């Protein structure tokens, strides 16, 4: 069993007129696979991107696709169990 730790980015989002419109969240290593979402609050966007990353990885594994392991600053792979905590 492997543990994949993916970097995610959560940033303020704006509408077409430049007004605040929530938060955009994405996973750079998986963005081309659809790992991007949004939320009305930063916490909501972070929770949603967590769910999206899990769905993308599950789908990739189910279809026999290779999970990205680089660039090194975007993905960390370990074989020992880990717990990720974001504060």
């Amino acid at each position: 069993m492997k543990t994949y730790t993916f970097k995610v980015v959560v940033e303020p989002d704006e509408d077409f007129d430049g007004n605040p419109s929530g938060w955009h969240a994405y996973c750079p290593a998986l963005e081309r696979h659809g790992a991007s979402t949004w939320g009305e609050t930063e916490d909501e966007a972070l929770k949603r991107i967590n769910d999206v990353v899990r769905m993308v990885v599950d789908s990739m594994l189910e279809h026999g696709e290779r999970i990205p392991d680089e660039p090194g600053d975007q993905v960390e792979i370990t074989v020992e169990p880990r717990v990720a905590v974001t504060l």
Side-chain angles (χ1 to χ4, degrees):
M1 177 179 259
K2 291 182 181 178
T3 299
Y4 293 85
T5 304
F6 294 94
K7 174 183 176 181
V8 296
V9 177
V10 181
E11 55 195 9
D13 204 2
E14 297 177 344
D15 64 16
F16 291 110
D17 296 323
N19 300 315
S21 65
W23 293 80
H24 176 231
Y26 63 97
C27 175
L30 299 173
E31 192 171 19
R32 70 184 184 107
H33 296 280
S36 179
T37 189
W38 72 279
E40 289 187 17
T41 66
E42 187 175 7
D43 285 341
E44 183 180 10
L46 188 56
K47 287 176 188 172
R48 285 184 176 180
I49 194 61
N50 183 44
D51 292 341
V52 169
V53 167
R54 288 178 186 273
M55 287 188 292
V56 167
V57 170
D58 284 345
S59 176
M60 292 176 76
L61 291 173
E62 183 178 316
H63 292 96
E65 296 178 53
R66 183 178 130 327
I67 307 299
D69 56 3
E70 29 184 272
D73 65 337
Q74 304 293 316
V75 183
E76 177 186 348
I77 302 171
T78 59
V79 291
E80 62 274 344
R82 295 216 174 176
V83 174
V85 178
T86 303
L87 302 174

